[in-house]
Amino acid sequence: MKDYLKIAKKCLADEASAIMGLIPQLDGSFEGSVRLILECKGKVIVTGVGKSGHIGAKIAATLSSTGTPSFFISPLDVFHGDLGVMTPSDVVLAISNSGMTDELLRFIPYLIERKIPLIGMSGNSDSLLAKYSTYHIHVKVEEEACPLNLAPTSSTTATLAMGDALACALMEARDFRERDFARFHPGGSLGHRLLVSAQDVMRTDDLPVIHPDTTLGEALITMSAGKLGLAVVADDDERIVGIVTDGDVRRATERLQDRFVSVPVKSIMTPNPVCIDPALKLNEVLEILHKRKIHAVLVVDGSHRLVGVVDNFRCLE
C-alpha cells in the first residue's frame, strides 16, 4: 500500500521550495511592473490560457479587492470582439509558463500598435512573451510537484504566489488599509467590524446604573439583573464617575467579608472607566478591549452620560 501522507508531504515541500526559489528571481522588472500599474489610469487586464488562466483570474480578483481595478479575460475571447476592451490607459498582465502560448502571442502586435503596456509573467526569460513585454516577471521552477513532472503544480503555485507578491507591493505603495479593504468586502466579518460602529451593536436597554452611595449589597442585585458582569456608577447629573465589575465585588468580599454588603460602591469602584464615542468602529473597540484586557467598554455622549455598553460578545456576534 502506498504511503499517501508521504506523497502529500513531498508535494507540499516541492511547492514550498518552488515559491522560495522565486526570491532570487526578483529584480528590477518586478519593481518596474509595480510602478507601471501605479501609473495606470485605466485597468489591469489579466489574461492566460488553461491553468495559467485560472491563476490569472485569481490574481485579477486579488488585485481588484486590494485597490487595483482589474479583471480577467480569456485570450480566446480576445479574438472574438473583446480586443476593444483594451485601451492605452490599461496595462495587460499576460501569464504563460512557457511564454510561448500561441493565443497570447497572437494579440501582442495589437498591444504594440496601440501602445498598451504589457507585463509578461512566465518561467522562460528567453520566450517571445518575455521579449515583447514592457516588463517580464520571471517565475521559473526547476520541476513540477507532479510525480510525472508534467501537470502544472509547482509552476502554478509559484505564479499565484508572485501575483500575491505583486498585490502586496501595490497595497503598500497605495497605503491601502483595513478600512479600504472593508469597502471591497462589506459582507465578511472583517468588513462588518470595520464598517459597523459601537452605536450599531451597543446594548441600550436595562443598563445597570447605580449611584456612588449605593451599597454593595444593592449593587449586586442591579448587576445580576443587568447580566453584563458590571454596574456603571453615575453621579446625580448622570455623568459616569466609575465602574464596578464582578472582579471588584469578589475582591471586596474577600477583604471586607461580612461588612461588604453595607459598604458604598464609591469606596471600591474603579474610577475613570474606559469610555468611547458611539461612532467608534468595531475593530477599534476590539483593539481597546484586547489592549486594556477588559471585557466591556462604556459608550457615552458629549456630556459623558451613558448611552450604551459594548462587550466582547457583541463585538464578535
Side-chain angles (χ1 to χ4, degrees), residues 245-256 270:
T245 66
D246 285 339
D248 294 327
V249 173
R250 185 179 63 255
R251 287 185 288 273
T253 302
E254 293 172 352
R255 187 176 74 254
L256 301 172
T270 300

Side-chain angles (χ1 to χ4, degrees), residues 11-312:
C11 175
L12 294 174
D14 288 346
E15 295 201 358
S17 177
I19 293 176
M20 293 303 296
L22 296 179
I23 296 175
Q25 299 181 48
L26 289 170
D27 56 19
S29 288
F30 183 88
E31 295 178 313
S33 298
V34 173
R35 290 195 298 268
L36 187 62
I37 294 174
L38 287 172
E39 294 166 1
C40 175
K41 303 300 182 184
K43 306 166 293 298
V44 174
I45 302 173
V46 186
T47 186
V49 177
K51 302 297 188 297
S52 293
H54 296 309
I55 297 302
K58 193 278 178 183
I59 291 174
T62 299
L63 290 173
S64 287
S65 67
T66 53
T68 299
S70 310
F71 66 88
F72 175 80
I73 186 172
S74 168
L76 302 177
D77 294 331
V78 167
F79 299 105
H80 295 279
D82 285 351
L83 270 174
V85 304
M86 301 180 182
T87 73
S89 297
D90 300 324
V91 171
V92 173
L93 170 60
I95 302 170
S96 166
N97 186 43
S98 68
M100 301 295 288
T101 305
D102 182 63
E103 292 88 346
L104 285 181
L105 298 178
R106 280 196 289 160
F107 71 79
I108 287 180
Y110 173 83
L111 300 180
I112 295 174
E113 179 187 358
R114 297 290 305 276
K115 297 182 179 179
I116 299 173
L118 171 63
I119 298 171
M121 188 180 290
S122 82
N124 185 359
S125 59
D126 295 321
S127 65
L128 289 176
L129 177 61
K131 178 179 179 180
Y132 290 106
S133 294
T134 309
Y135 294 105
H136 178 256
I137 299 176
H138 203 199
V139 286
K140 181 180 179 181
V141 300
E142 293 303 322
E143 60 181 0
E144 299 289 0
C146 164
L148 302 176
N149 193 28
L150 293 175
T153 44
S154 295
S155 58
T156 49
T157 299
T159 303
L160 181 61
M162 186 62 79
D164 289 340
L166 191 61
C168 289
L170 289 164
M171 288 174 70
E172 286 290 335
R174 299 184 194 281
D175 194 31
F176 192 87
R177 295 300 175 216
E178 288 183 339
R179 191 177 303 275
D180 303 309
F181 190 86
R183 289 203 299 268
F184 296 99
H185 302 77
S189 60
L190 175 61
H192 172 76
R193 295 177 191 177
L194 291 169
L195 296 178
V196 173
S197 303
Q199 61 192 351
D200 298 317
V201 299
M202 66 186 183
R203 174 174 159 181
T204 58
D205 60 309
D206 299 322
L207 296 175
V209 181
I210 56 178
H211 189 272
D213 294 327
T214 302
T215 65
L216 269 175
E218 296 170 316
L220 274 175
I221 297 173
T222 303
M223 291 174 66
S224 297
K227 298 180 180 179
L228 284 172
L230 59 84
V232 182
V233 185
D235 62 18
D236 293 332
D237 294 321
E238 299 183 347
R239 290 186 175 87
I240 296 171
V241 295
I243 189 172
V244 178
T245 66
D246 285 339
D248 294 327
V249 173
R250 185 179 63 255
R251 287 185 288 273
T253 302
E254 293 172 352
R255 187 176 74 254
L256 301 172
Q257 297 186 6
D258 294 342
R259 295 186 296 115
F260 92 96
V261 293
S262 59
V263 171
V265 294
K266 63 184 176 184
S267 64
I268 64 107
M269 71 180 187
T270 300
N272 304 314
V274 178
C275 298
I276 62 171
D277 187 271
L280 194 68
K281 299 302 182 185
L282 219 51
N283 68 308
E284 297 175 279
V285 176
L286 279 168
E287 187 175 351
I288 292 173
L289 293 173
H290 176 71
K291 286 185 176 180
R292 301 294 291 268
K293 297 181 179 179
I294 54 180
H295 78 277
V297 289
L298 310 182
V299 186
V300 298
D301 61 17
S303 300
H304 210 65
R305 293 185 174 91
L306 184 70
V307 294
V309 175
V310 178
D311 58 10
N312 273 317

